[in-house]
Amino acid sequence: MTIEQLHAELIYAESLLEKAILGFISSGDWMSFLREALNIRSVVATYRTLNSYLEEFDEQIASKKSKYEVKEIDADFRSGVYLGMGMCLLVFSLIPSRVVIFADLLGYKGDRIEALKLLRKAGGWGGADGGADRDKRTPSIPKEEGGVRRPLCDLVLIVFHLVMSGFTREGVDVYEAENIVEWNLQHYPQSIFFLFGKGRLHVTRSRPDLAITVYEDARSKINGQKGYEQLGSVMLWETALCHLSLGRWKESAECWKQMKDTAKWSKAVYAYGRAACLLQAGNLSPDEQKEVDSLMSEVPTLRQRIAGKSIPLEKYVARRAERYIAEKTLVAPAIELAYMLQATYKTTEKALKKLVDILKALRNSSLTKQDDIQMVNLLLAVHLRLLEYPRSEDVTSPSEKRRQALVDGATNTETQILQLLQRAKESGGKLQQEHWVAYYAHYELGRYYEERGEYIEARKNFAIVSSGSSLEGPHNARRGKYSLQNAIQLRASASIATLPIPRSRSNSSSLVPGAFKSV
């Protein structure tokens, strides 16, 4: 094949991938869904062929026995193959374990470590073995020699380390992400994409207050650029979550309002976000109360469908809005929303203490419904755990903070955390509406045990969530189905994957020292 033919194959694969993605988003029935799945299979096959060609070409060039017509392959082609093959392997490695068997039937194989190596190759970020090299502040491949798709490879790495780390742990390395972000900002200081990465870097390190300034800077660069307005909505979303995590309800409410007016992704979520923040702020004026009532009534009607299916987050906010419509009140709606969107895990100590005081006051108030009582128990336990273990959600390198021995004894706070989570996890049969509380309590209990080095107990609790076991009583007609189910199951599975491995089935309480999944 000539170099032109190789590029044609690469562009064909990229076009087919874009078509498949658009098909997933726009299709409204299962036949359309399956057709696009077959297109993706063709994409994967093409990328595999091109990657194999590239590997064999490099081997033969090194041995000076090349049989190919092409004598040199340009960086544009290389970066394109690394991007496509790396993304395919990375995405398939994120498939939940219960779906893997079906993916295998379609020929989809995931390999996260190999995917990250390929993505690093485009920019020369990896070490000698292709793994992450934290000391590598400058890549081995200069900007001019990286190829046209090299920045995209860097962006995928940044998104994996700084965004997907909320759902998975294996392979995450925030130090590598920092190196990539800083180097790219030196060369592309006006890039909103790498500014987004810088903001996420602050958030990942529990400094949302610093991230807000970065996001506002990125938005200012977008303003006035016709056709790029929706990118500003991404920054607004991140800013809203930062304010939410810091307990700045009014500021977050303003962000949700702007998104509802300008953004196109989910009007239902934006409307609920504003209403929840206004409710949480309290002391509503008559006009604000009227706005909250109007927004809550509007939320269920704003839901949309993608690929014929409802958006899980929209289903969640619609249920909460319907409960408000029926009862004219919600308990800690913005704090709950922050937790469900994982903003709670990435905030400052000062904000955590403020939120703990709010939740303690609620717990000591006259709550009567078990749904509200157990939800407050869960939220309070989470905030207390984050204060007790400040690095508990640190994904800089999950294996580095792994305890090699059990924690002796328990502080008063730890005892309180355990009691709160035990009550919440055992409440499944009592819950009328907020069925998710029992499942999330099991996950949080697993995180608590993990921090204490009690890995057997941690694994048990994570397994209950990831297995899809039903914890509800007779009040839930859809047993085993609850709000944002897939998200928490994915996080539970990721937690199990990075726990120490038992020595054997016959002695599962004995752990191999330092035997962790590679990260």
Side-chain angles (χ1 to χ4, degrees), residues 128-429:
D129 61 348
D133 185 351
R134 296 181 175 184
D135 298 325
K136 204 166 194 175
R137 308 289 293 182
T138 303
S140 56
I141 298 178
K143 173 188 172 184
E144 297 77 15
E145 300 175 14
V148 70
R149 299 170 183 86
R150 181 243 185 92
L152 295 177
C153 291
D154 287 353
L155 278 173
V156 173
L157 285 170
I158 290 169
V159 169
F160 173 75
H161 290 312
L162 302 181
V163 179
M164 293 308 298
S165 56
F167 298 93
T168 188
R169 301 187 195 178
E170 187 180 8
V172 171
D173 195 310
V174 176
Y175 289 116
E176 179 178 55
E178 180 181 20
N179 293 339
I180 296 173
V181 168
E182 295 300 334
W183 183 84
N184 277 283
L185 281 176
Q186 290 175 14
H187 293 84
Y188 310 103
Q190 302 298 313
S191 170
I192 58 173
F193 299 105
F194 294 114
L195 283 172
F196 168 79
K198 186 176 181 179
R200 285 298 306 182
L201 194 60
H202 286 311
V203 170
T204 303
R205 289 175 169 161
S206 299
R207 290 304 306 271
D209 49 328
L210 299 180
I212 291 171
T213 304
V214 178
Y215 291 138
E216 289 176 347
D217 181 30
R219 281 187 62 214
S220 68
K221 299 182 188 307
I222 298 171
N223 291 339
Q225 296 187 40
K226 191 174 181 180
Y228 292 90
E229 296 86 352
Q230 292 306 306
L231 290 176
S233 300
V234 176
M235 307 304 167
L236 260 179
W237 173 273
E238 291 291 325
T239 305
L241 294 188
C242 288
H243 285 306
L244 204 58
S245 69
L246 292 166
R248 300 174 181 173
W249 316 125
K250 292 290 187 181
E251 291 87 344
S252 185
E254 182 58 32
C255 291
W256 295 113
K257 182 179 185 299
Q258 291 183 50
M259 283 189 282
K260 186 175 183 296
D261 293 339
T262 61
K264 298 179 180 178
W265 176 66
S266 176
K267 300 286 187 181
V269 174
Y270 306 146
Y272 179 79
R274 176 164 175 78
C277 288
L278 290 175
L279 274 176
Q280 188 73 56
N283 299 319
L284 299 181
S285 66
D287 288 342
E288 288 177 328
Q289 184 63 59
K290 186 177 179 181
E291 182 185 3
V292 168
D293 293 342
S294 174
L295 287 170
M296 289 295 194
S297 299
E298 197 178 356
V299 168
T301 67
L302 293 173
R303 288 175 57 187
Q304 54 189 339
R305 301 176 76 85
I306 294 179
K309 297 181 72 67
S310 300
I311 300 172
L313 188 55
E314 287 193 342
K315 290 167 70 174
Y316 160 71
V317 298
R319 290 191 190 109
R320 297 295 288 159
E322 287 166 356
R323 186 176 176 190
Y324 174 84
I325 294 168
E327 301 176 9
K328 292 302 178 185
T329 186
L330 287 176
V331 174
I335 298 177
E336 178 194 353
L337 182 62
Y339 172 67
M340 298 301 270
L341 295 177
Q342 298 189 52
T344 299
Y345 299 115
K346 304 296 181 184
T347 191
T348 62
E349 181 181 357
K350 181 180 178 181
L352 284 172
K353 289 179 178 178
K354 170 187 172 183
L355 296 170
V356 163
D357 290 340
I358 294 173
L359 291 167
K360 282 184 175 179
L362 279 172
R363 189 165 179 268
N364 295 330
S365 65
S366 55
L367 296 177
T368 57
K369 295 191 175 183
Q370 279 296 313
D371 295 72
D372 296 332
I373 293 171
Q374 300 306 333
M375 184 188 73
V376 170
N377 283 342
L378 170 63
L379 294 176
L380 179 56
V382 171
H383 287 75
L384 288 173
R385 173 174 68 81
L386 294 171
L387 282 173
E388 188 72 9
Y389 298 102
R391 293 189 63 214
S392 63
E393 297 301 322
D394 181 6
V395 293
T396 295
S397 180
S399 64
E400 288 183 356
K401 68 185 187 71
R402 192 70 62 202
R403 296 186 185 277
Q404 300 299 320
L406 297 178
V407 175
D408 293 329
T411 64
N412 291 335
T413 301
E414 287 177 317
T415 301
Q416 186 181 5
I417 293 169
L418 184 59
Q419 290 173 346
L420 291 168
L421 290 175
Q422 290 284 5
R423 290 171 190 162
K425 85 178 183 72
E426 293 168 1
S427 66

Side-chain angles (χ1 to χ4, degrees), residues 23-65:
F24 274 132
I25 295 173
S26 62
S27 62
D29 58 80
W30 280 104
M31 287 306 297
S32 298
F33 180 87
L34 290 174
R35 276 198 298 272
E36 300 308 334
L38 293 174
N39 280 337
I40 287 186
R41 187 178 182 182
S42 299
V43 170
V44 174
T46 303
Y47 275 124
R48 280 179 179 161
T49 302
L50 294 176
N51 189 53
S52 297
Y53 178 95
L54 200 54
E55 290 177 347
E56 188 175 345
F57 176 86
D58 289 342
E59 289 176 3
Q60 294 194 9
I61 288 295
S63 62
K64 298 181 180 180
K65 295 180 180 179

